[in-house]
Coordinates of all heavy atoms in Angstrom, one line a residue:
M175 N -10.9 -37.9 214.5 CA -11.9 -38.1 213.5 C -13.2 -38.5 214.1 O -14.2 -38.5 213.4 CB -11.4 -39.2 212.6 CG -10.0 -38.9 211.9 SD -10.1 -37.3 211.1 CE -10.3 -37.7 209.4
T176 N -13.2 -39.0 215.3 CA -14.5 -39.3 215.9 C -15.1 -38.0 216.4 O -14.4 -37.1 216.7 CB -14.3 -40.3 217.1 OG1 -13.4 -39.8 218.0 CG2 -13.8 -41.7 216.6
P177 N -16.4 -37.9 216.4 CA -17.4 -38.8 216.2 C -17.9 -39.0 214.8 O -18.9 -39.7 214.5 CB -18.5 -38.2 217.1 CG -18.4 -36.8 216.9 CD -16.9 -36.6 216.8
W178 N -17.2 -38.4 213.8 CA -17.7 -38.4 212.4 C -17.4 -39.7 211.7 O -18.1 -40.0 210.7 CB -17.2 -37.2 211.7 CG -17.5 -35.9 212.3 CD1 -18.8 -35.3 212.4 CD2 -16.7 -35.1 213.1 NE1 -18.7 -34.2 213.1 CE2 -17.4 -34.0 213.6 CE3 -15.3 -35.2 213.5 CZ2 -16.9 -33.0 214.4 CZ3 -14.8 -34.2 214.3 CH2 -15.6 -33.1 214.7
F179 N -16.4 -40.4 212.1 CA -15.9 -41.6 211.4 C -15.7 -42.8 212.4 O -15.5 -42.5 213.6 CB -14.6 -41.4 210.7 CG -14.8 -40.4 209.6 CD1 -14.5 -39.0 209.8 CD2 -15.2 -40.8 208.3 CE1 -14.6 -38.1 208.8 CE2 -15.3 -39.9 207.3 CZ -15.0 -38.5 207.5
T180 N -15.8 -44.0 211.9 CA -15.5 -45.2 212.7 C -14.0 -45.3 213.0 O -13.2 -44.5 212.4 CB -16.0 -46.4 212.0 OG1 -15.3 -46.6 210.8 CG2 -17.5 -46.4 211.7
E181 N -13.7 -46.2 213.8 CA -12.3 -46.5 214.0 C -11.7 -47.0 212.7 O -12.4 -47.7 211.9 CB -12.1 -47.6 215.1 CG -12.4 -47.1 216.5 CD -11.4 -46.0 216.9 OE1 -10.2 -46.1 216.7 OE2 -11.9 -45.0 217.5
P182 N -10.4 -46.8 212.4 CA -9.8 -47.2 211.2 C -9.8 -48.8 211.0 O -9.6 -49.5 212.0 CB -8.4 -46.8 211.2 CG -8.4 -45.7 212.3 CD -9.5 -46.0 213.2
E183 N -10.2 -49.2 209.8 CA -10.1 -50.6 209.5 C -8.8 -50.8 208.7 O -8.5 -50.0 207.8 CB -11.2 -51.1 208.6 CG -12.6 -50.9 209.3 CD -13.7 -51.2 208.3 OE1 -13.5 -52.1 207.4 OE2 -14.7 -50.5 208.3
R184 N -8.0 -51.8 209.0 CA -6.8 -52.1 208.3 C -6.9 -53.3 207.4 O -7.4 -54.3 207.8 CB -5.7 -52.3 209.3 CG -4.3 -52.6 208.7 CD -3.3 -52.7 209.9 NE -2.0 -52.9 209.4 CZ -1.3 -54.1 209.3 NH1 -1.9 -55.2 209.7 NH2 -0.1 -54.2 208.8
G185 N -6.3 -53.1 206.2 CA -6.3 -54.2 205.3 C -4.8 -54.4 204.8 O -4.1 -53.4 204.7
L186 N -4.5 -55.6 204.6 CA -3.1 -56.0 204.1 C -3.2 -56.8 202.9 O -3.9 -57.9 202.9 CB -2.3 -56.7 205.2 CG -0.9 -57.0 204.9 CD1 -0.1 -55.7 204.7 CD2 -0.3 -57.8 206.0
I187 N -2.6 -56.3 201.8 CA -2.7 -57.0 200.5 C -1.3 -57.4 200.1 O -0.4 -56.6 200.1 CB -3.3 -56.1 199.4 CG1 -4.7 -55.7 199.9 CG2 -3.3 -56.9 198.1 CD1 -5.2 -54.4 199.3
E188 N -1.0 -58.7 200.0 CA 0.3 -59.2 199.6 C 0.2 -59.8 198.1 O -0.7 -60.5 197.8 CB 0.8 -60.2 200.5 CG 1.0 -59.6 201.9 CD 1.6 -60.7 202.9 OE1 1.5 -61.9 202.6 OE2 2.0 -60.2 204.0
H189 N 1.2 -59.4 197.3 CA 1.2 -59.9 196.0 C 2.6 -59.9 195.4 O 3.5 -59.3 196.0 CB 0.3 -59.1 195.1 CG 0.6 -57.6 195.0 ND1 0.4 -56.7 196.0 CD2 1.2 -57.0 194.0 CE1 0.8 -55.5 195.6 NE2 1.4 -55.7 194.4
N190 N 2.8 -60.5 194.3 CA 4.1 -60.5 193.7 C 4.0 -59.9 192.3 O 3.0 -59.9 191.6 CB 4.6 -62.0 193.4 CG 5.0 -62.6 194.7 OD1 5.5 -62.0 195.7 ND2 4.7 -63.9 194.8
V191 N 5.1 -59.2 191.9 CA 5.2 -58.6 190.6 C 6.4 -59.2 189.9 O 7.5 -59.2 190.5 CB 5.3 -57.1 190.7 CG1 5.5 -56.4 189.3 CG2 4.1 -56.5 191.4
T192 N 6.3 -59.7 188.7 CA 7.4 -60.2 187.9 C 8.1 -59.0 187.3 O 7.5 -58.2 186.6 CB 6.9 -61.2 186.8 OG1 6.2 -62.2 187.5 CG2 8.1 -61.7 186.1
V193 N 9.4 -58.9 187.6 CA 10.2 -57.8 187.1 C 11.3 -58.4 186.2 O 12.0 -59.3 186.6 CB 10.9 -57.0 188.2 CG1 11.8 -56.0 187.7 CG2 9.9 -56.5 189.2
P194 N 11.4 -57.9 184.9 CA 12.5 -58.4 184.1 C 13.8 -58.1 184.7 O 14.0 -57.1 185.3 CB 12.3 -57.6 182.8 CG 10.9 -57.2 182.8 CD 10.5 -57.0 184.2
A195 N 14.8 -59.1 184.6 CA 16.0 -58.9 185.3 C 16.8 -57.6 184.9 O 17.4 -57.0 185.8 CB 16.9 -60.1 185.0
D196 N 16.6 -57.2 183.6 CA 17.3 -56.0 183.2 C 16.7 -54.7 183.7 O 17.1 -53.6 183.5 CB 17.5 -56.0 181.7 CG 16.2 -56.0 181.0 OD1 15.1 -56.2 181.6 OD2 16.2 -55.7 179.8
R197 N 15.6 -54.9 184.5 CA 14.9 -53.7 185.0 C 15.0 -53.6 186.5 O 14.5 -52.6 187.2 CB 13.4 -53.8 184.7 CG 13.0 -53.8 183.2 CD 13.3 -52.6 182.5 NE 12.7 -51.5 183.1 CZ 12.1 -50.5 182.5 NH1 12.1 -50.5 181.2 NH2 11.5 -49.5 183.1
L198 N 15.8 -54.5 187.1 CA 16.0 -54.4 188.6 C 16.7 -53.1 189.0 O 16.3 -52.5 190.0 CB 16.8 -55.6 189.1 CG 16.1 -57.0 189.1 CD1 17.1 -58.1 189.4 CD2 14.9 -56.9 190.0
I199 N 17.6 -52.7 188.3 CA 18.3 -51.4 188.6 C 17.3 -50.3 188.5 O 17.3 -49.4 189.4 CB 19.6 -51.2 187.7 CG1 20.6 -52.2 188.1 CG2 20.1 -49.7 187.9 CD1 21.9 -52.1 187.3
D200 N 16.4 -50.3 187.5 CA 15.4 -49.2 187.4 C 14.5 -49.2 188.6 O 14.1 -48.2 189.1 CB 14.6 -49.4 186.1 CG 15.4 -49.2 184.9 OD1 16.4 -48.5 184.9 OD2 15.0 -49.7 183.8
L201 N 14.2 -50.4 189.1 CA 13.3 -50.5 190.3 C 14.0 -49.9 191.5 O 13.3 -49.1 192.2 CB 13.0 -52.0 190.5 CG 12.0 -52.3 191.7 CD1 10.6 -51.7 191.4 CD2 11.9 -53.8 191.8
V202 N 15.2 -50.2 191.7 CA 16.0 -49.6 192.8 C 16.1 -48.1 192.6 O 15.9 -47.3 193.6 CB 17.4 -50.2 193.0 CG1 18.2 -49.5 194.0 CG2 17.2 -51.7 193.3
R203 N 16.3 -47.6 191.4 CA 16.4 -46.2 191.2 C 15.1 -45.4 191.5 O 15.2 -44.2 191.7 CB 16.8 -45.9 189.7 CG 18.3 -46.3 189.4 CD 18.5 -46.0 188.0 NE 19.9 -46.4 187.6 CZ 20.4 -46.5 186.4 NH1 19.5 -46.4 185.4 NH2 21.6 -46.9 186.2
S204 N 14.0 -46.1 191.5 CA 12.7 -45.4 191.7 C 12.4 -45.3 193.2 O 11.4 -44.7 193.5 CB 11.6 -46.2 191.0 OG 11.3 -47.4 191.7
R205 N 13.2 -45.8 194.1 CA 13.0 -45.7 195.5 C 13.6 -44.4 196.1 O 14.6 -44.0 195.6 CB 13.5 -46.9 196.2 CG 12.9 -48.3 195.8 CD 11.4 -48.2 195.9 NE 10.8 -49.5 195.5 CZ 10.0 -49.7 194.6 NH1 9.6 -48.7 193.8 NH2 9.4 -50.9 194.4
S206 N 12.9 -43.9 197.1 CA 13.4 -42.6 197.6 C 14.8 -42.6 198.1 O 15.5 -41.6 198.0 CB 12.4 -42.2 198.7 OG 12.4 -43.1 199.8
S207 N 15.3 -43.8 198.7 CA 16.6 -43.8 199.2 C 17.6 -43.6 198.1 O 18.7 -43.1 198.3 CB 16.9 -45.1 199.9 OG 16.6 -46.2 199.1
S208 N 17.3 -44.1 196.9 CA 18.2 -43.9 195.7 C 18.0 -42.5 195.1 O 19.0 -41.8 194.8 CB 17.9 -45.0 194.7 OG 18.7 -44.7 193.5
L209 N 16.8 -42.1 195.1 CA 16.5 -40.8 194.5 C 17.1 -39.6 195.3 O 17.5 -38.6 194.7 CB 15.0 -40.5 194.4 CG 14.2 -41.4 193.4 CD1 12.7 -41.2 193.6 CD2 14.6 -41.0 192.0
T210 N 17.3 -39.8 196.6 CA 17.8 -38.7 197.4 C 19.3 -38.9 197.7 O 19.9 -38.0 198.3 CB 17.1 -38.6 198.8 OG1 17.2 -39.9 199.4 CG2 15.6 -38.3 198.6
A211 N 19.9 -40.0 197.2 CA 21.3 -40.2 197.4 C 22.1 -39.4 196.4 O 21.7 -38.9 195.4 CB 21.6 -41.7 197.1
D212 N 23.4 -39.1 196.8 CA 24.3 -38.4 196.0 C 24.7 -39.3 194.8 O 24.5 -40.5 194.8 CB 25.5 -37.8 196.7 CG 26.4 -38.8 197.4 OD1 26.5 -40.0 196.9 OD2 27.0 -38.5 198.4
A213 N 25.4 -38.7 193.8 CA 25.8 -39.4 192.6 C 26.7 -40.6 192.9 O 26.5 -41.7 192.3 CB 26.5 -38.5 191.6
A214 N 27.6 -40.5 193.9 CA 28.5 -41.6 194.2 C 27.7 -42.8 194.8 O 27.9 -44.0 194.5 CB 29.6 -41.2 195.2
E215 N 26.7 -42.5 195.7 CA 25.9 -43.5 196.3 C 25.0 -44.2 195.3 O 24.8 -45.4 195.3 CB 25.1 -42.9 197.4 CG 24.2 -43.9 198.1 CD 24.9 -45.0 198.9 OE1 26.1 -45.0 199.0 OE2 24.1 -45.9 199.4
Q216 N 24.5 -43.4 194.3 CA 23.6 -44.0 193.3 C 24.4 -44.9 192.4 O 24.0 -46.0 192.0 CB 23.0 -42.8 192.4 CG 21.9 -42.1 193.2 CD 21.4 -40.9 192.4 OE1 22.1 -40.4 191.5 NE2 20.3 -40.4 192.8
A217 N 25.7 -44.5 192.1 CA 26.5 -45.4 191.3 C 26.9 -46.7 192.0 O 26.9 -47.8 191.4 CB 27.8 -44.6 190.9
R218 N 27.1 -46.6 193.3 CA 27.4 -47.8 194.1 C 26.2 -48.7 194.1 O 26.3 -49.9 193.9 CB 27.8 -47.4 195.6 CG 28.2 -48.6 196.4 CD 28.3 -48.2 197.9 NE 27.0 -47.9 198.5 CZ 26.1 -48.8 198.9 NH1 26.3 -50.1 198.7 NH2 25.0 -48.4 199.4
L219 N 25.0 -48.2 194.3 CA 23.8 -49.0 194.3 C 23.6 -49.7 193.0 O 23.3 -50.9 192.9 CB 22.6 -48.1 194.6 CG 22.4 -47.7 196.1 CD1 21.3 -46.6 196.2 CD2 22.1 -48.9 197.0
D220 N 23.8 -48.9 191.9 CA 23.7 -49.5 190.5 C 24.6 -50.7 190.4 O 24.3 -51.8 189.9 CB 23.9 -48.5 189.5 CG 22.8 -47.5 189.3 OD1 21.8 -47.6 189.9 OD2 23.0 -46.5 188.5
R221 N 25.9 -50.5 190.8 CA 26.9 -51.5 190.6 C 26.6 -52.7 191.5 O 26.6 -53.8 191.0 CB 28.3 -50.9 191.1 CG 29.4 -51.8 190.9 CD 30.8 -51.2 191.2 NE 30.8 -50.8 192.6 CZ 30.7 -49.6 193.1 NH1 30.5 -48.6 192.3 NH2 30.7 -49.3 194.4
E222 N 26.2 -52.5 192.7 CA 25.9 -53.6 193.6 C 24.6 -54.4 193.2 O 24.6 -55.6 193.3 CB 25.8 -53.2 195.0 CG 27.1 -52.8 195.6 CD 27.1 -52.4 197.1 OE1 26.0 -52.5 197.7 OE2 28.1 -52.0 197.6
I223 N 23.6 -53.7 192.7 CA 22.4 -54.4 192.2 C 22.8 -55.2 190.9 O 22.4 -56.4 190.8 CB 21.3 -53.4 191.9 CG1 20.8 -52.8 193.2 CG2 20.1 -54.1 191.2 CD1 20.3 -53.8 194.2
G224 N 23.6 -54.7 190.0 CA 24.1 -55.4 188.9 C 24.8 -56.6 189.2 O 24.6 -57.7 188.7
E225 N 25.7 -56.5 190.2 CA 26.5 -57.7 190.7 C 25.6 -58.7 191.3 O 25.8 -59.9 191.1 CB 27.6 -57.2 191.7 CG 28.7 -56.4 191.0 CD 29.7 -55.8 192.1 OE1 29.5 -56.1 193.3 OE2 30.5 -55.0 191.7
L226 N 24.7 -58.3 192.1 CA 23.7 -59.2 192.8 C 22.9 -60.0 191.7 O 22.8 -61.2 191.8 CB 22.8 -58.4 193.7 CG 21.8 -59.3 194.4 CD1 22.5 -60.2 195.5 CD2 20.7 -58.4 195.1
A227 N 22.4 -59.3 190.7 CA 21.6 -59.9 189.7 C 22.4 -60.9 188.9 O 21.9 -61.9 188.4 CB 21.0 -58.9 188.8
A228 N 23.7 -60.7 188.8 CA 24.6 -61.6 188.0 C 25.1 -62.7 188.8 O 25.4 -63.8 188.2 CB 25.8 -60.8 187.4
T229 N 25.2 -62.6 190.1 CA 25.9 -63.7 190.9 C 25.0 -64.4 191.9 O 25.3 -65.5 192.3 CB 27.1 -63.1 191.7 OG1 26.6 -62.1 192.6 CG2 28.1 -62.5 190.7
D230 N 23.9 -63.8 192.3 CA 23.1 -64.5 193.3 C 22.4 -65.7 192.7 O 21.8 -65.6 191.6 CB 22.0 -63.5 193.8 CG 21.2 -64.1 195.0 OD1 20.2 -64.7 194.7 OD2 21.6 -63.9 196.1
P231 N 22.5 -66.8 193.4 CA 21.9 -68.1 192.9 C 20.4 -67.9 192.5 O 19.9 -68.6 191.6 CB 22.1 -69.1 194.0 CG 23.3 -68.6 194.7 CD 23.2 -67.1 194.7
A232 N 19.7 -67.1 193.3 CA 18.2 -67.0 193.0 C 18.0 -66.1 191.8 O 16.8 -66.1 191.3 CB 17.5 -66.4 194.2
L233 N 18.9 -65.3 191.3 CA 18.7 -64.4 190.2 C 19.6 -64.7 189.0 O 19.2 -64.4 187.9 CB 19.1 -62.9 190.7 CG 18.2 -62.4 191.8 CD1 18.8 -61.1 192.3 CD2 16.8 -62.2 191.3
A234 N 20.8 -65.2 189.2 CA 21.7 -65.3 188.1 C 21.1 -66.2 187.0 O 20.6 -67.3 187.2 CB 23.0 -66.0 188.6
G235 N 21.3 -65.7 185.7 CA 20.8 -66.5 184.6 C 19.3 -66.5 184.4 O 18.8 -67.1 183.4
R236 N 18.6 -65.8 185.2 CA 17.1 -65.7 185.0 C 16.7 -64.5 184.2 O 17.4 -63.5 184.2 CB 16.4 -65.7 186.4 CG 16.8 -67.0 187.2 CD 16.0 -67.1 188.4 NE 14.6 -67.0 188.1 CZ 13.6 -67.1 189.0 NH1 13.9 -67.2 190.2 NH2 12.3 -67.0 188.6
D237 N 15.6 -64.6 183.5 CA 15.1 -63.5 182.7 C 14.3 -62.6 183.6 O 14.1 -61.4 183.2 CB 14.2 -64.0 181.6 CG 15.0 -64.8 180.5 OD1 16.2 -64.5 180.4 OD2 14.4 -65.7 179.9
S238 N 13.8 -63.0 184.7 CA 12.9 -62.2 185.5 C 13.1 -62.6 187.0 O 13.6 -63.7 187.3 CB 11.5 -62.3 185.1 OG 11.0 -63.6 185.3
A239 N 12.5 -61.8 187.9 CA 12.5 -62.1 189.3 C 11.2 -61.7 189.9 O 10.5 -60.8 189.4 CB 13.6 -61.2 190.0
E240 N 10.7 -62.5 190.8 CA 9.4 -62.2 191.5 C 9.7 -61.3 192.7 O 10.5 -61.7 193.5 CB 8.8 -63.5 192.0 CG 8.3 -64.4 190.9 CD 7.1 -63.8 190.1 OE1 6.2 -63.3 190.8 OE2 7.1 -63.9 188.9
M241 N 9.1 -60.1 192.6 CA 9.3 -59.2 193.7 C 8.1 -59.2 194.6 O 7.0 -58.9 194.1 CB 9.6 -57.8 193.1 CG 10.8 -57.7 192.2 SD 12.3 -58.1 193.1 CE 12.4 -56.7 194.2
P242 N 8.2 -59.5 195.9 CA 7.1 -59.5 196.8 C 6.7 -58.0 197.2 O 7.6 -57.2 197.4 CB 7.6 -60.3 198.0 CG 9.1 -60.1 198.0 CD 9.5 -59.9 196.5
Y243 N 5.5 -57.8 197.2 CA 5.0 -56.4 197.6 C 3.9 -56.6 198.7 O 3.2 -57.6 198.7 CB 4.3 -55.7 196.5 CG 5.3 -55.0 195.5 CD1 5.9 -55.7 194.5 CD2 5.5 -53.7 195.7 CE1 6.8 -55.1 193.7 CE2 6.4 -53.1 194.8 CZ 7.0 -53.8 193.8 OH 7.9 -53.2 193.0
R244 N 3.9 -55.7 199.6 CA 2.9 -55.7 200.7 C 2.3 -54.3 200.7 O 3.1 -53.3 200.9 CB 3.6 -56.0 202.0 CG 2.6 -56.1 203.2 CD 3.3 -56.5 204.5 NE 3.7 -57.9 204.4 CZ 4.7 -58.4 205.1 NH1 5.3 -57.7 206.0 NH2 5.0 -59.7 204.9
T245 N 1.0 -54.2 200.6 CA 0.3 -52.9 200.6 C -0.6 -52.9 201.8 O -1.4 -53.8 202.0 CB -0.5 -52.7 199.3 OG1 0.4 -52.8 198.2 CG2 -1.2 -51.4 199.3
C246 N -0.4 -51.9 202.6 CA -1.2 -51.7 203.8 C -2.2 -50.6 203.6 O -1.8 -49.5 203.2 CB -0.4 -51.5 205.0 SG -1.3 -51.4 206.6
V247 N -3.5 -50.8 203.8 CA -4.5 -49.8 203.5 C -5.3 -49.6 204.8 O -5.5 -50.5 205.6 CB -5.4 -50.2 202.3 CG1 -4.6 -50.2 201.0 CG2 -6.1 -51.5 202.5
Y248 N -5.8 -48.4 204.9 CA -6.7 -48.1 206.0 C -8.0 -47.4 205.5 O -7.9 -46.7 204.5 CB -6.0 -47.1 207.0 CG -4.9 -47.7 207.7 CD1 -3.6 -47.7 207.2 CD2 -5.1 -48.4 208.9 CE1 -2.5 -48.2 207.8 CE2 -4.0 -49.0 209.6 CZ -2.7 -48.9 209.0 OH -1.7 -49.5 209.7
R249 N -9.1 -47.7 206.1 CA -10.4 -47.1 205.7 C -11.1 -46.7 207.0 O -11.2 -47.5 208.0 CB -11.1 -48.2 204.9 CG -12.5 -47.7 204.6 CD -13.3 -48.6 203.7 NE -13.5 -49.9 204.3 CZ -14.1 -50.9 203.8 NH1 -14.5 -50.8 202.5 NH2 -14.3 -52.0 204.4
M250 N -11.7 -45.6 206.9 CA -12.7 -45.2 208.0 C -14.0 -44.9 207.3 O -14.0 -44.3 206.2 CB -12.1 -43.9 208.6 CG -10.8 -44.1 209.3 SD -10.1 -42.6 210.0 CE -11.1 -42.4 211.4
R251 N -15.1 -45.3 208.0 CA -16.4 -45.1 207.4 C -17.1 -43.9 208.1 O -16.9 -43.7 209.3 CB -17.2 -46.4 207.6 CG -16.7 -47.5 206.8 CD -17.5 -48.8 207.2 NE -16.9 -50.0 206.7 CZ -17.2 -50.5 205.5 NH1 -18.2 -50.0 204.8 NH2 -16.6 -51.6 205.1
R252 N -17.8 -43.2 207.3 CA -18.6 -42.1 207.9 C -19.7 -42.6 208.8 O -20.4 -43.5 208.4 CB -19.2 -41.2 206.8 CG -19.7 -39.9 207.3 CD -20.3 -39.1 206.2 NE -19.6 -39.1 204.9 CZ -19.3 -38.1 204.2 NH1 -19.7 -36.9 204.6 NH2 -18.6 -38.2 203.1
V253 N -19.9 -42.1 209.9 CA -20.9 -42.5 210.9 C -22.2 -42.0 210.4 O -22.4 -40.9 209.9 CB -20.6 -42.1 212.3 CG1 -21.7 -42.5 213.2 CG2 -19.3 -42.7 212.7

């Protein structure tokens, strides 16, 4: 990219998103590892996420969960 652009600048943005507990399975289903899995693996993931949401002390009985996100961005400026 040089000599037309500067060296890449990296930015890191961390934030949380509140997810309703009943949408946790939908969140997992939207990830590529679930989307590309076969039907048996998708069913296993659904079952295990449901069990986790029902039994994990940090999630059980809660209406929502805070999901941490980290976004890494790069920018190059035109010289």
Side-chain angles (χ1 to χ4, degrees):
M175 301 308 261
T176 57
W178 303 287
F179 294 94
T180 62
E181 289 295 315
E183 299 172 37
R184 180 178 182 257
L186 185 63
I187 302 153
E188 295 181 348
H189 61 285
N190 292 325
V191 174
T192 302
V193 178
D196 61 347
R197 302 294 303 223
L198 288 174
I199 290 175
D200 294 335
L201 183 63
V202 172
R203 287 179 182 166
S204 72
R205 300 306 185 240
S206 60
S207 58
S208 177
L209 292 169
T210 59
D212 62 29
E215 178 67 4
Q216 289 174 341
R218 184 190 68 79
L219 287 169
D220 287 356
R221 184 178 62 256
E222 289 184 4
I223 295 301
E225 289 173 6
L226 180 69
T229 61
D230 186 271
L233 298 172
R236 297 189 57 181
D237 294 332
S238 62
E240 290 294 314
M241 300 298 294
Y243 280 82
R244 181 178 293 158
T245 304
C246 185
V247 296
Y248 293 89
R249 174 176 64 182
M250 297 173 75
R251 297 175 189 263
R252 193 183 319 227
V253 176

